[in-house]
Amino acid sequence: MSEDLEFEEISSDEVDRVVAALEELAGSVTSETIRSHIEELSNTIYYLVYDEDEEELSEAA
């Protein structure tokens, strides 16, 4: 039952651009519920190319 899996290559530049746009959008929203969903989506997109350990290291610095 072997399936050919295709993986899309996602560039860090694209992820950075989308995350920045989402952060700007989150800053313009008054609803805490919507802001929370935007932030969750932003984190999900961020971790498509960045490892959680990298962020923890940069926060510790």
Side-chain angles (χ1 to χ4, degrees):
M1 207 172 167
S2 175
E3 293 183 30
D4 291 330
L5 297 176
E6 291 185 35
F7 293 98
E8 176 184 21
E9 187 170 328
I10 302 170
S11 75
S12 59
D13 289 339
E14 183 174 25
V15 167
D16 293 344
R17 188 176 67 248
V18 171
V19 168
L22 288 171
E23 288 174 353
E24 184 176 337
L25 179 61
S28 69
V29 173
T30 56
S31 168
E32 288 296 323
T33 302
I34 293 172
R35 183 179 297 119
S36 174
H37 283 285
I38 293 170
E39 289 172 354
E40 183 177 333
L41 177 58
S42 178
N43 287 334
T44 300
I45 292 171
Y46 179 86
Y47 290 122
L48 289 173
V49 295
Y50 296 107
D51 189 347
E52 291 181 38
D53 294 336
E54 290 176 8
E55 182 178 279
E56 290 172 3
L57 289 175
S58 67
E59 288 177 356

Short mmCIF file of all heavy atoms in Angstrom, two decimals:
data_model
loop_
_atom_site.label_atom_id
_atom_site.label_comp_id
_atom_site.label_asym_id
_atom_site.label_seq_id
_atom_site.Cartn_x
_atom_site.Cartn_y
_atom_site.Cartn_z
N MET A 1 0.84 -1.19 0.00
CA MET A 1 0.00 0.00 0.00
C MET A 1 0.88 1.24 0.00
O MET A 1 0.68 2.17 0.76
CB MET A 1 -0.90 -0.03 1.22
CG MET A 1 -2.15 0.73 1.01
SD MET A 1 -3.23 0.43 2.41
CE MET A 1 -4.35 1.71 2.07
N SER A 2 1.85 1.25 -0.86
CA SER A 2 2.78 2.37 -0.96
C SER A 2 2.24 3.45 -1.88
O SER A 2 1.87 3.18 -3.01
CB SER A 2 4.12 1.86 -1.48
OG SER A 2 4.98 2.94 -1.70
N GLU A 3 2.16 4.65 -1.37
CA GLU A 3 1.67 5.78 -2.17
C GLU A 3 2.82 6.72 -2.43
O GLU A 3 3.69 6.92 -1.59
CB GLU A 3 0.57 6.53 -1.42
CG GLU A 3 -0.69 5.74 -1.24
CD GLU A 3 -1.78 6.56 -0.55
OE1 GLU A 3 -1.79 7.78 -0.72
OE2 GLU A 3 -2.58 5.95 0.17
N ASP A 4 2.83 7.30 -3.63
CA ASP A 4 3.84 8.32 -3.94
C ASP A 4 3.40 9.63 -3.30
O ASP A 4 2.39 10.20 -3.69
CB ASP A 4 3.98 8.50 -5.46
CG ASP A 4 4.61 7.29 -6.12
OD1 ASP A 4 5.41 6.62 -5.44
OD2 ASP A 4 4.30 7.03 -7.30
N LEU A 5 4.16 10.07 -2.32
CA LEU A 5 3.84 11.32 -1.65
C LEU A 5 4.64 12.44 -2.28
O LEU A 5 5.84 12.33 -2.46
CB LEU A 5 4.17 11.22 -0.16
CG LEU A 5 3.39 10.19 0.63
CD1 LEU A 5 3.90 10.16 2.07
CD2 LEU A 5 1.91 10.50 0.61
N GLU A 6 3.95 13.50 -2.61
CA GLU A 6 4.63 14.67 -3.15
C GLU A 6 4.66 15.75 -2.07
O GLU A 6 3.65 16.03 -1.45
CB GLU A 6 3.90 15.20 -4.38
CG GLU A 6 3.98 14.28 -5.57
CD GLU A 6 3.37 14.89 -6.81
OE1 GLU A 6 3.47 16.12 -6.98
OE2 GLU A 6 2.78 14.13 -7.58
N PHE A 7 5.83 16.33 -1.88
CA PHE A 7 5.99 17.38 -0.90
C PHE A 7 6.29 18.68 -1.63
O PHE A 7 7.15 18.72 -2.50
CB PHE A 7 7.12 17.06 0.08
CG PHE A 7 6.80 15.88 0.96
CD1 PHE A 7 7.28 14.62 0.65
CD2 PHE A 7 6.02 16.05 2.08
CE1 PHE A 7 6.98 13.54 1.46
CE2 PHE A 7 5.72 14.97 2.90
CZ PHE A 7 6.20 13.71 2.58
N GLU A 8 5.60 19.70 -1.25
CA GLU A 8 5.82 21.01 -1.84
C GLU A 8 6.97 21.69 -1.08
O GLU A 8 6.99 21.68 0.14
CB GLU A 8 4.56 21.85 -1.70
CG GLU A 8 4.70 23.26 -2.18
CD GLU A 8 3.46 24.10 -1.94
OE1 GLU A 8 2.65 23.72 -1.07
OE2 GLU A 8 3.32 25.11 -2.61
N GLU A 9 7.88 22.26 -1.82
CA GLU A 9 8.96 23.00 -1.18
C GLU A 9 8.47 24.42 -0.91
O GLU A 9 7.99 25.10 -1.81
CB GLU A 9 10.18 23.05 -2.09
CG GLU A 9 11.37 23.67 -1.41
CD GLU A 9 12.65 23.52 -2.20
OE1 GLU A 9 12.80 22.52 -2.91
OE2 GLU A 9 13.48 24.44 -2.09
N ILE A 10 8.56 24.81 0.33
CA ILE A 10 8.10 26.13 0.75
C ILE A 10 9.32 26.94 1.16
O ILE A 10 10.10 26.51 2.00
CB ILE A 10 7.11 26.03 1.92
CG1 ILE A 10 5.92 25.17 1.53
CG2 ILE A 10 6.65 27.41 2.36
CD1 ILE A 10 5.01 24.82 2.68
N SER A 11 9.46 28.11 0.58
CA SER A 11 10.64 28.93 0.88
C SER A 11 10.44 29.70 2.19
O SER A 11 9.33 30.08 2.54
CB SER A 11 10.92 29.90 -0.26
OG SER A 11 9.99 30.96 -0.25
N SER A 12 11.54 29.92 2.87
CA SER A 12 11.48 30.69 4.12
C SER A 12 11.10 32.14 3.83
O SER A 12 10.45 32.78 4.65
CB SER A 12 12.81 30.61 4.87
OG SER A 12 13.86 31.10 4.07
N ASP A 13 11.48 32.65 2.65
CA ASP A 13 11.09 34.02 2.29
C ASP A 13 9.58 34.16 2.20
O ASP A 13 9.01 35.14 2.67
CB ASP A 13 11.72 34.42 0.95
CG ASP A 13 13.22 34.63 1.03
OD1 ASP A 13 13.73 34.85 2.15
OD2 ASP A 13 13.87 34.57 -0.02
N GLU A 14 8.93 33.16 1.59
CA GLU A 14 7.48 33.21 1.48
C GLU A 14 6.83 33.11 2.85
O GLU A 14 5.89 33.84 3.16
CB GLU A 14 6.97 32.09 0.57
CG GLU A 14 5.47 32.15 0.36
CD GLU A 14 4.97 31.15 -0.65
OE1 GLU A 14 5.62 30.11 -0.86
OE2 GLU A 14 3.92 31.42 -1.23
N VAL A 15 7.34 32.21 3.68
CA VAL A 15 6.80 32.07 5.03
C VAL A 15 6.97 33.36 5.81
O VAL A 15 6.03 33.84 6.46
CB VAL A 15 7.47 30.88 5.77
CG1 VAL A 15 7.16 30.92 7.26
CG2 VAL A 15 7.02 29.57 5.17
N ASP A 16 8.14 33.97 5.73
CA ASP A 16 8.39 35.24 6.44
C ASP A 16 7.42 36.32 5.98
O ASP A 16 6.88 37.08 6.80
CB ASP A 16 9.82 35.71 6.21
CG ASP A 16 10.86 34.79 6.87
OD1 ASP A 16 10.48 33.97 7.73
OD2 ASP A 16 12.04 34.90 6.49
N ARG A 17 7.18 36.38 4.66
CA ARG A 17 6.28 37.40 4.11
C ARG A 17 4.84 37.18 4.59
O ARG A 17 4.15 38.12 5.00
CB ARG A 17 6.36 37.36 2.58
CG ARG A 17 5.63 38.48 1.89
CD ARG A 17 5.80 38.47 0.37
NE ARG A 17 5.15 37.30 -0.23
CZ ARG A 17 5.79 36.29 -0.81
NH1 ARG A 17 7.10 36.28 -0.87
NH2 ARG A 17 5.13 35.28 -1.32
N VAL A 18 4.39 35.93 4.58
CA VAL A 18 3.02 35.62 5.00
C VAL A 18 2.85 35.87 6.49
O VAL A 18 1.85 36.45 6.93
CB VAL A 18 2.65 34.17 4.63
CG1 VAL A 18 1.32 33.76 5.26
CG2 VAL A 18 2.60 34.01 3.11
N VAL A 19 3.83 35.45 7.29
CA VAL A 19 3.76 35.67 8.73
C VAL A 19 3.72 37.17 9.06
O VAL A 19 2.94 37.61 9.90
CB VAL A 19 4.92 34.96 9.47
CG1 VAL A 19 5.02 35.40 10.92
CG2 VAL A 19 4.73 33.44 9.40
N ALA A 20 4.53 37.96 8.36
CA ALA A 20 4.53 39.41 8.58
C ALA A 20 3.17 40.01 8.24
O ALA A 20 2.65 40.86 8.97
CB ALA A 20 5.64 40.07 7.77
N ALA A 21 2.58 39.55 7.14
CA ALA A 21 1.26 40.06 6.73
C ALA A 21 0.19 39.67 7.76
O ALA A 21 -0.68 40.48 8.10
CB ALA A 21 0.89 39.53 5.35
N LEU A 22 0.28 38.45 8.27
CA LEU A 22 -0.69 38.02 9.29
C LEU A 22 -0.51 38.79 10.59
O LEU A 22 -1.50 39.13 11.25
CB LEU A 22 -0.56 36.51 9.54
CG LEU A 22 -1.09 35.62 8.41
CD1 LEU A 22 -0.71 34.17 8.67
CD2 LEU A 22 -2.59 35.77 8.26
N GLU A 23 0.73 39.09 10.97
CA GLU A 23 0.97 39.88 12.18
C GLU A 23 0.40 41.28 12.02
O GLU A 23 -0.19 41.83 12.96
CB GLU A 23 2.46 39.93 12.49
CG GLU A 23 3.00 38.62 13.01
CD GLU A 23 4.51 38.60 13.18
OE1 GLU A 23 5.18 39.57 12.77
OE2 GLU A 23 5.02 37.61 13.73
N GLU A 24 0.56 41.86 10.84
CA GLU A 24 -0.01 43.18 10.58
C GLU A 24 -1.54 43.13 10.65
O GLU A 24 -2.17 44.00 11.25
CB GLU A 24 0.44 43.68 9.20
CG GLU A 24 -0.03 45.09 8.90
CD GLU A 24 0.50 45.60 7.57
OE1 GLU A 24 1.54 45.11 7.09
OE2 GLU A 24 -0.14 46.53 7.03
N LEU A 25 -2.11 42.09 10.05
CA LEU A 25 -3.56 41.92 10.10
C LEU A 25 -4.04 41.75 11.53
O LEU A 25 -5.03 42.37 11.95
CB LEU A 25 -3.98 40.72 9.24
CG LEU A 25 -5.46 40.39 9.20
CD1 LEU A 25 -6.26 41.55 8.63
CD2 LEU A 25 -5.69 39.12 8.40
N ALA A 26 -3.35 40.91 12.31
CA ALA A 26 -3.73 40.68 13.71
C ALA A 26 -3.71 41.98 14.50
O ALA A 26 -4.55 42.20 15.38
CB ALA A 26 -2.81 39.65 14.35
N GLY A 27 -2.77 42.86 14.17
CA GLY A 27 -2.68 44.14 14.87
C GLY A 27 -3.83 45.09 14.55
O GLY A 27 -4.09 46.03 15.29
N SER A 28 -4.52 44.84 13.44
CA SER A 28 -5.61 45.73 13.04
C SER A 28 -6.99 45.20 13.44
O SER A 28 -7.99 45.86 13.20
CB SER A 28 -5.57 45.93 11.51
OG SER A 28 -5.92 44.74 10.84
N VAL A 29 -7.03 44.03 14.07
CA VAL A 29 -8.29 43.39 14.43
C VAL A 29 -8.65 43.73 15.88
O VAL A 29 -7.78 43.69 16.76
CB VAL A 29 -8.17 41.86 14.25
CG1 VAL A 29 -9.39 41.15 14.77
CG2 VAL A 29 -7.93 41.53 12.79
N THR A 30 -9.90 44.06 16.10
CA THR A 30 -10.32 44.37 17.47
C THR A 30 -10.82 43.13 18.23
O THR A 30 -10.76 43.09 19.45
CB THR A 30 -11.42 45.45 17.49
OG1 THR A 30 -12.52 45.00 16.70
CG2 THR A 30 -10.89 46.76 16.95
N SER A 31 -11.29 42.14 17.52
CA SER A 31 -11.80 40.92 18.14
C SER A 31 -10.65 40.05 18.64
O SER A 31 -9.76 39.67 17.87
CB SER A 31 -12.63 40.12 17.13
OG SER A 31 -12.90 38.83 17.63
N GLU A 32 -10.68 39.72 19.93
CA GLU A 32 -9.67 38.85 20.51
C GLU A 32 -9.76 37.43 19.93
O GLU A 32 -8.75 36.77 19.74
CB GLU A 32 -9.81 38.78 22.03
CG GLU A 32 -9.37 40.05 22.74
CD GLU A 32 -7.88 40.33 22.55
OE1 GLU A 32 -7.07 39.38 22.54
OE2 GLU A 32 -7.52 41.51 22.42
N THR A 33 -10.97 36.99 19.62
CA THR A 33 -11.16 35.66 19.05
C THR A 33 -10.52 35.57 17.67
O THR A 33 -9.79 34.62 17.37
CB THR A 33 -12.66 35.32 18.96
OG1 THR A 33 -13.22 35.40 20.27
CG2 THR A 33 -12.88 33.93 18.38
N ILE A 34 -10.77 36.55 16.84
CA ILE A 34 -10.19 36.56 15.50
C ILE A 34 -8.68 36.70 15.59
O ILE A 34 -7.94 36.00 14.90
CB ILE A 34 -10.81 37.68 14.63
CG1 ILE A 34 -12.28 37.37 14.36
CG2 ILE A 34 -10.03 37.84 13.33
CD1 ILE A 34 -13.03 38.49 13.67
N ARG A 35 -8.20 37.58 16.46
CA ARG A 35 -6.76 37.75 16.63
C ARG A 35 -6.10 36.44 17.06
O ARG A 35 -5.03 36.07 16.56
CB ARG A 35 -6.46 38.85 17.65
CG ARG A 35 -4.96 39.10 17.82
CD ARG A 35 -4.62 40.21 18.80
NE ARG A 35 -5.15 41.48 18.34
CZ ARG A 35 -6.05 42.22 19.00
NH1 ARG A 35 -6.51 41.81 20.17
NH2 ARG A 35 -6.47 43.35 18.52
N SER A 36 -6.74 35.72 17.94
CA SER A 36 -6.21 34.44 18.41
C SER A 36 -6.11 33.45 17.25
O SER A 36 -5.10 32.73 17.13
CB SER A 36 -7.11 33.88 19.51
OG SER A 36 -6.71 32.59 19.88
N HIS A 37 -7.11 33.40 16.41
CA HIS A 37 -7.07 32.49 15.26
C HIS A 37 -5.99 32.90 14.27
O HIS A 37 -5.29 32.03 13.72
CB HIS A 37 -8.43 32.46 14.55
CG HIS A 37 -9.46 31.65 15.27
ND1 HIS A 37 -9.45 30.27 15.28
CD2 HIS A 37 -10.52 32.03 16.02
CE1 HIS A 37 -10.48 29.84 16.00
NE2 HIS A 37 -11.13 30.88 16.46
N ILE A 38 -5.83 34.18 14.04
CA ILE A 38 -4.78 34.66 13.13
C ILE A 38 -3.40 34.31 13.69
O ILE A 38 -2.52 33.85 12.95
CB ILE A 38 -4.90 36.19 12.89
CG1 ILE A 38 -6.18 36.50 12.10
CG2 ILE A 38 -3.67 36.73 12.16
CD1 ILE A 38 -6.51 37.98 12.02
N GLU A 39 -3.19 34.49 14.98
CA GLU A 39 -1.91 34.16 15.60
C GLU A 39 -1.63 32.66 15.53
O GLU A 39 -0.50 32.24 15.28
CB GLU A 39 -1.87 34.67 17.04
CG GLU A 39 -1.79 36.18 17.10
CD GLU A 39 -1.94 36.74 18.51
OE1 GLU A 39 -2.21 35.96 19.46
OE2 GLU A 39 -1.79 37.96 18.66
N GLU A 40 -2.66 31.84 15.73
CA GLU A 40 -2.50 30.40 15.63
C GLU A 40 -2.13 30.00 14.20
O GLU A 40 -1.22 29.17 13.99
CB GLU A 40 -3.78 29.70 16.05
CG GLU A 40 -3.69 28.19 16.05
CD GLU A 40 -4.97 27.53 16.54
OE1 GLU A 40 -5.72 28.14 17.32
OE2 GLU A 40 -5.21 26.39 16.11
N LEU A 41 -2.79 30.58 13.23
CA LEU A 41 -2.47 30.33 11.83
C LEU A 41 -1.05 30.78 11.50
O LEU A 41 -0.30 30.07 10.83
CB LEU A 41 -3.47 31.04 10.92
CG LEU A 41 -3.24 30.92 9.42
CD1 LEU A 41 -3.24 29.47 8.98
CD2 LEU A 41 -4.28 31.73 8.68
N SER A 42 -0.67 31.93 12.00
CA SER A 42 0.68 32.44 11.78
C SER A 42 1.72 31.48 12.33
O SER A 42 2.73 31.19 11.67
CB SER A 42 0.82 33.82 12.45
OG SER A 42 2.11 34.33 12.29
N ASN A 43 1.49 30.95 13.52
CA ASN A 43 2.42 29.98 14.12
C ASN A 43 2.49 28.69 13.30
O ASN A 43 3.57 28.14 13.09
CB ASN A 43 2.01 29.65 15.56
CG ASN A 43 2.29 30.79 16.51
OD1 ASN A 43 3.17 31.61 16.28
ND2 ASN A 43 1.52 30.85 17.58
N THR A 44 1.34 28.23 12.84
CA THR A 44 1.30 27.02 12.02
C THR A 44 2.11 27.21 10.74
O THR A 44 2.91 26.33 10.36
CB THR A 44 -0.16 26.66 11.67
OG1 THR A 44 -0.88 26.43 12.87
CG2 THR A 44 -0.22 25.42 10.79
N ILE A 45 1.95 28.34 10.09
CA ILE A 45 2.69 28.63 8.86
C ILE A 45 4.18 28.76 9.17
O ILE A 45 5.02 28.24 8.44
CB ILE A 45 2.13 29.87 8.16
CG1 ILE A 45 0.73 29.57 7.63
CG2 ILE A 45 3.06 30.35 7.05
CD1 ILE A 45 -0.03 30.76 7.11
N TYR A 46 4.51 29.44 10.25
CA TYR A 46 5.92 29.62 10.64
C TYR A 46 6.62 28.27 10.78
O TYR A 46 7.73 28.07 10.29
CB TYR A 46 5.97 30.40 11.96
CG TYR A 46 7.38 30.61 12.47
CD1 TYR A 46 8.13 31.70 12.04
CD2 TYR A 46 7.95 29.73 13.38
CE1 TYR A 46 9.41 31.91 12.52
CE2 TYR A 46 9.23 29.93 13.86
CZ TYR A 46 9.96 31.02 13.43
OH TYR A 46 11.24 31.21 13.88
N TYR A 47 5.97 27.31 11.44
CA TYR A 47 6.59 26.02 11.71
C TYR A 47 6.62 25.10 10.49
O TYR A 47 7.15 24.00 10.58
CB TYR A 47 5.94 25.34 12.91
CG TYR A 47 6.26 26.05 14.19
CD1 TYR A 47 5.27 26.55 15.01
CD2 TYR A 47 7.59 26.25 14.56
CE1 TYR A 47 5.59 27.22 16.18
CE2 TYR A 47 7.91 26.93 15.73
CZ TYR A 47 6.90 27.41 16.53
OH TYR A 47 7.21 28.07 17.68
N LEU A 48 6.09 25.55 9.35
CA LEU A 48 6.25 24.77 8.12
C LEU A 48 7.71 24.69 7.71
O LEU A 48 8.14 23.70 7.12
CB LEU A 48 5.44 25.39 6.98
CG LEU A 48 3.92 25.26 7.07
CD1 LEU A 48 3.26 26.07 5.96
CD2 LEU A 48 3.49 23.81 7.03
N VAL A 49 8.48 25.74 8.01
CA VAL A 49 9.89 25.74 7.61
C VAL A 49 10.86 25.95 8.76
O VAL A 49 12.04 25.67 8.62
CB VAL A 49 10.20 26.81 6.51
CG1 VAL A 49 9.48 26.48 5.24
CG2 VAL A 49 9.89 28.19 6.98
N TYR A 50 10.38 26.42 9.89
CA TYR A 50 11.26 26.66 11.02
C TYR A 50 10.98 25.65 12.13
O TYR A 50 9.84 25.36 12.44
CB TYR A 50 11.08 28.08 11.58
CG TYR A 50 11.47 29.15 10.59
CD1 TYR A 50 10.50 29.92 9.95
CD2 TYR A 50 12.80 29.39 10.30
CE1 TYR A 50 10.86 30.90 9.04
CE2 TYR A 50 13.17 30.38 9.40
CZ TYR A 50 12.19 31.13 8.77
OH TYR A 50 12.56 32.09 7.87
N ASP A 51 12.04 25.16 12.73
CA ASP A 51 11.93 24.20 13.82
C ASP A 51 11.64 24.95 15.11
O ASP A 51 12.18 26.02 15.35
CB ASP A 51 13.25 23.43 13.94
CG ASP A 51 13.18 22.27 14.90
OD1 ASP A 51 12.21 22.17 15.67
OD2 ASP A 51 14.10 21.46 14.87
N GLU A 52 10.80 24.37 15.96
CA GLU A 52 10.48 25.01 17.24
C GLU A 52 11.72 25.25 18.08
O GLU A 52 11.80 26.23 18.79
CB GLU A 52 9.49 24.14 18.02
CG GLU A 52 8.12 24.09 17.42
CD GLU A 52 7.16 23.25 18.23
OE1 GLU A 52 7.23 23.30 19.48
OE2 GLU A 52 6.35 22.55 17.62
N ASP A 53 12.71 24.37 18.00
CA ASP A 53 13.93 24.53 18.78
C ASP A 53 14.69 25.79 18.38
O ASP A 53 15.31 26.43 19.23
CB ASP A 53 14.84 23.32 18.61
CG ASP A 53 14.23 22.05 19.21
OD1 ASP A 53 13.38 22.18 20.11
OD2 ASP A 53 14.60 20.95 18.78
N GLU A 54 14.65 26.18 17.10
CA GLU A 54 15.33 27.38 16.65
C GLU A 54 14.74 28.62 17.32
O GLU A 54 15.46 29.51 17.74
CB GLU A 54 15.21 27.54 15.13
CG GLU A 54 16.00 26.53 14.34
CD GLU A 54 15.79 26.67 12.86
OE1 GLU A 54 15.14 27.64 12.41
OE2 GLU A 54 16.26 25.79 12.13
N GLU A 55 13.41 28.66 17.44
CA GLU A 55 12.77 29.80 18.07
C GLU A 55 13.13 29.86 19.56
O GLU A 55 13.39 30.91 20.09
CB GLU A 55 11.26 29.76 17.90
CG GLU A 55 10.60 30.99 18.52
CD GLU A 55 9.10 31.01 18.33
OE1 GLU A 55 8.66 31.41 17.25
OE2 GLU A 55 8.40 30.63 19.28
N GLU A 56 13.13 28.71 20.22
CA GLU A 56 13.46 28.67 21.64
C GLU A 56 14.89 29.16 21.86
O GLU A 56 15.16 29.87 22.83
CB GLU A 56 13.28 27.26 22.17
CG GLU A 56 11.83 26.84 22.24
CD GLU A 56 11.65 25.36 22.59
OE1 GLU A 56 12.66 24.66 22.83
OE2 GLU A 56 10.49 24.92 22.60
N LEU A 57 15.81 28.80 20.97
CA LEU A 57 17.19 29.26 21.08
C LEU A 57 17.29 30.77 20.89
O LEU A 57 18.01 31.45 21.61
CB LEU A 57 18.08 28.54 20.07
CG LEU A 57 18.36 27.08 20.33
CD1 LEU A 57 19.16 26.47 19.17
CD2 LEU A 57 19.12 26.89 21.63
N SER A 58 16.56 31.31 19.91
CA SER A 58 16.63 32.74 19.66
C SER A 58 15.97 33.54 20.79
O SER A 58 16.39 34.64 21.10
CB SER A 58 16.00 33.09 18.31
OG SER A 58 14.62 32.86 18.33
N GLU A 59 14.94 32.98 21.41
CA GLU A 59 14.29 33.66 22.54
C GLU A 59 15.21 33.66 23.76
O GLU A 59 15.18 34.58 24.55
CB GLU A 59 12.96 32.99 22.87
CG GLU A 59 11.88 33.26 21.85
CD GLU A 59 10.59 32.52 22.17
OE1 GLU A 59 10.55 31.73 23.16
OE2 GLU A 59 9.61 32.71 21.43
N ALA A 60 16.00 32.63 23.92
CA ALA A 60 16.89 32.53 25.08
C ALA A 60 18.08 33.47 24.96
O ALA A 60 18.68 33.84 25.95
CB ALA A 60 17.39 31.09 25.22
N ALA A 61 18.41 33.86 23.73
CA ALA A 61 19.59 34.72 23.51
C ALA A 61 19.35 36.15 23.95
O ALA A 61 18.37 36.67 24.16
CB ALA A 61 19.97 34.70 22.04
#
